[in-house]
Amino acid sequence: MVEALAKKRSHPKGMPVLFMTEMWERFSFYTMRAIFTLYMISPVERGGLGFSEWLTGQIYGAYVLFVYFTPFIGGIIADRVLGIKRSIMIGGIVMMIGHFLLAFRPLPFFFSALVCLVIGNGLFKPNISTMLGNLYKKVPERKDDGYNIFYMGINLGAFLSPLAATYLRTLHPLHGWHYAFGAAGIGMIFSLMIFFALQRLVKEGDIPKGAYKKMKEEKAFTETELKDHKNRMRALLVIFFIVIFFWMAFEQQGLTLTFWANQATNTALNAEFFQSINPMYILLFTFPVITFWGMLKKWGKEPTTAAKMVIGMLLTAVAFTILAIAALKGGNNGHVSILWLLAAYATITVGELTLSPMGLSLVSKLAPPGKLGMMMGGWFTASAVGGYLAGAIGGFFWSRMSHSSFFFIFIATSIVAALLLAAVLKWINPIIHKAEQESLAESL
């Protein structure tokens, strides 16, 4: 009966609002990221900052670390102080200021902008993901699909942004960088306008100021419930540890894979153009992947959410295997076809679709009451650690070893992560199943 009722229910009406809000915010984020490392490493006479590869890698890694770590703090602030909606609004405004600061050349503006982007993202990013999960309280069985569709919004913005950045950067030999950074600020204006204008449609996803404190005062959890909450937290911590290895590999797209596209592929296209490839594949592959899981579910063979994440890690290893082979076939010292890079991007994209939106959905399912924002921030903290390691490893090793050897690092770490997660599936899967059943029972 529960399954029959669940099949009749559709996605909440507020989901398209968050889809569009996140799409424009990600347009801003990825427009900046598309040229971030290139701007730092380009000579001063070409409008760049003239930083070394090592310094560029360190700044990139630190930026990714903090931009994904602050959501942990932002989630706590939303849970206990500001509420979700206010956190999203304040974070969006601070991010907009940061993007516009990058439109000015002096270094103080550059570093001030990064601080604004880090703080703003910390308030915005975990809470819009949390709000989406809250919208699905009445239709929890659609949550995985909802996060997959939401992920399309992220990647629609990510697809358009490098194209815009490439065009604007080439308009002027010195100031084109700042035209692109300014466009990121305009994208953030669109994001805020949509959210402000249509906030009534997402009010069911909000947790207002002080709700966490009120819940603690009104509800006393039983010993069994507290034990269940601890198990959920432990399961999430295991997941967070595993996904560090994924983001460590995935974030090479903004660093060494950009260098690879620029140095080792036989194409005249601007290097930042290739950062559109991954989001383009997301747009192409999302619905086929959702359909594939739906078919397996109909046949009773759909993997659990955690098992899908194991598959995602293995596909990440395959992607870097493709790059390592390309390097051995000529990319170590010369140029190879861009088809190698396109094939690697296609593979890691399918891996991403089986891991990243599933992880967001999993956090929404497993986070104990009153700690959803904090645990969603924990997911981004894992991304932060992975992003920092991506910059640290890429900045140090890329120019010190052959490209093929460098890619083998991520083949090994991805396989190890997949094996570690596979080893604990028998423990994690029952915890996930219990949380899903409780959520579905509460919605009916």
Side-chain angles (χ1 to χ4, degrees), residues 99-110:
H99 285 302
F100 280 123
L101 283 174
L102 281 173
F104 297 91
R105 180 168 177 76
L107 277 180
F109 284 105
F110 176 76

Side-chain angles (χ1 to χ4, degrees), residues 369-382:
K371 295 184 178 180
L372 179 54
M374 181 179 73
M375 298 313 295
M376 192 64 75
W379 169 266
F380 291 107
T381 299

Side-chain angles (χ1 to χ4, degrees), residues 276-335:
S276 287
I277 302 301
N278 170 249
M280 179 189 72
Y281 282 145
I282 290 286
L283 299 177
L284 292 175
F285 296 161
T286 294
F287 283 115
V289 168
I290 291 175
T291 302
F292 177 70
W293 296 136
M295 290 172 57
L296 291 183
K297 184 175 183 179
K298 185 178 179 180
W299 299 334
K301 296 183 179 180
E302 182 184 18
T304 64
T305 305
K308 291 176 185 176
M309 297 178 76
V310 173
I311 296 170
M313 289 305 311
L314 292 175
L315 288 171
T316 302
V318 173
F320 280 89
T321 300
I322 293 171
L323 290 169
I325 294 172
L328 291 171
K329 284 186 171 290
N332 275 332
N333 301 304
H335 294 81

Side-chain angles (χ1 to χ4, degrees), residues 228 231-232 234-236 238-239 302-310 362 365-366 421-438:
D228 180 57
N231 284 335
R232 292 188 184 194
R234 292 188 186 105
L236 284 174
V238 170
I239 295 295
E302 182 184 18
T304 64
T305 305
K308 291 176 185 176
M309 297 178 76
V310 173
L362 194 59
K365 294 173 183 177
L366 291 182
L421 184 54
V424 296
L425 282 181
K426 289 184 178 179
W427 170 66
I428 287 180
N429 283 337
I431 298 173
I432 297 172
H433 179 71
K434 183 178 180 181
E436 290 175 336
Q437 292 301 110
E438 289 177 355

Side-chain angles (χ1 to χ4, degrees), residues 79-80 210-221 226 229 368-371:
D79 284 340
R80 304 190 180 189
Y212 174 74
K213 183 178 180 181
K214 184 178 180 181
M215 183 198 69
K216 286 184 68 176
E217 293 173 348
E218 293 179 352
K219 180 173 176 59
F221 294 108
L226 289 173
H229 293 171
K371 295 184 178 180

Side-chain angles (χ1 to χ4, degrees), residues 108-428:
F109 284 105
F110 176 76
F111 289 109
S112 297
L114 297 186
V115 171
C116 286
L117 292 173
V118 164
I119 294 172
N121 187 78
L123 289 169
F124 186 99
K125 189 62 179 170
N127 293 307
I128 195 166
S129 297
T130 298
M131 179 174 274
L132 179 71
N134 289 341
L135 287 178
Y136 279 85
K137 284 182 178 177
K138 295 181 179 178
V139 283
E141 73 284 354
R142 304 300 301 274
K143 190 175 286 187
D144 280 3
D145 289 347
Y147 274 103
N148 266 306
I149 296 170
F150 180 71
Y151 210 67
M152 281 190 67
I154 293 174
N155 285 279
L156 181 57
F159 169 68
L160 296 172
S161 56
L163 304 179
T166 299
Y167 172 74
L168 292 168
R169 185 170 76 84
T170 58
L171 288 179
H172 192 282
L174 293 178
H175 304 302
W177 303 100
H178 306 290
Y179 296 161
F181 290 136
I186 293 171
M188 203 62 230
I189 290 176
F190 289 153
S191 177
L192 288 168
M193 287 174 59
I194 291 167
F195 189 78
F196 272 86
L198 300 174
Q199 57 184 287
R200 67 187 185 280
L201 298 178
V202 296
K203 62 182 180 180
E204 290 184 1
D206 186 26
I207 297 176
K209 177 181 177 181
Y212 174 74
K213 183 178 180 181
K214 184 178 180 181
M215 183 198 69
K216 286 184 68 176
E217 293 173 348
E218 293 179 352
K219 180 173 176 59
F221 294 108
T222 66
E223 187 176 338
T224 301
E225 288 174 326
L226 289 173
K227 184 178 179 181
D228 180 57
H229 293 171
K230 288 180 181 179
N231 284 335
R232 292 188 184 194
M233 295 280 280
R234 292 188 186 105
L236 284 174
L237 289 175
V238 170
I239 295 295
F240 294 162
F241 175 73
I242 296 299
V243 299
I244 287 173
F245 295 95
F246 172 76
W247 294 116
M248 183 176 71
F250 182 83
E251 287 294 341
Q252 295 303 317
Q253 292 182 74
L255 187 65
T256 58
L257 295 193
T258 299
F259 296 160
W260 168 268
N262 195 38
Q263 300 166 2
T265 59
N266 53 3
T267 177
L269 295 172
N270 290 333
E272 64 265 34
F273 171 81
F274 288 92
Q275 292 192 44
S276 287
I277 302 301
N278 170 249
M280 179 189 72
Y281 282 145
I282 290 286
L283 299 177
L284 292 175
F285 296 161
T286 294
F287 283 115
V289 168
I290 291 175
T291 302
F292 177 70
W293 296 136
M295 290 172 57
L296 291 183
K297 184 175 183 179
K298 185 178 179 180
W299 299 334
K301 296 183 179 180
E302 182 184 18
T304 64
T305 305
K308 291 176 185 176
M309 297 178 76
V310 173
I311 296 170
M313 289 305 311
L314 292 175
L315 288 171
T316 302
V318 173
F320 280 89
T321 300
I322 293 171
L323 290 169
I325 294 172
L328 291 171
K329 284 186 171 290
N332 275 332
N333 301 304
H335 294 81
V336 295
S337 170
I338 63 170
L339 294 178
W340 289 101
L341 187 59
L342 295 178
Y345 270 124
T347 306
I348 201 170
T349 297
V350 178
E352 180 187 2
L353 283 171
T354 63
L355 188 145
S356 187
M358 294 300 100
L360 291 170
S361 180
L362 194 59
V363 173
S364 183
K365 294 173 183 177
L366 291 182
K371 295 184 178 180
L372 179 54
M374 181 179 73
M375 298 313 295
M376 192 64 75
W379 169 266
F380 291 107
T381 299
S383 304
V385 177
Y388 176 76
L389 292 174
I393 293 172
F396 185 80
F397 287 110
W398 179 252
S399 59
R400 287 177 168 83
M401 60 196 308
S402 68
H403 297 331
S404 55
S405 298
F406 179 81
F407 293 138
F408 273 113
I409 293 174
F410 301 103
I411 297 171
T413 55
S414 298
I415 291 174
V416 168
L419 293 175
L420 287 174
L421 184 54
V424 296
L425 282 181
K426 289 184 178 179
W427 170 66
I428 287 180

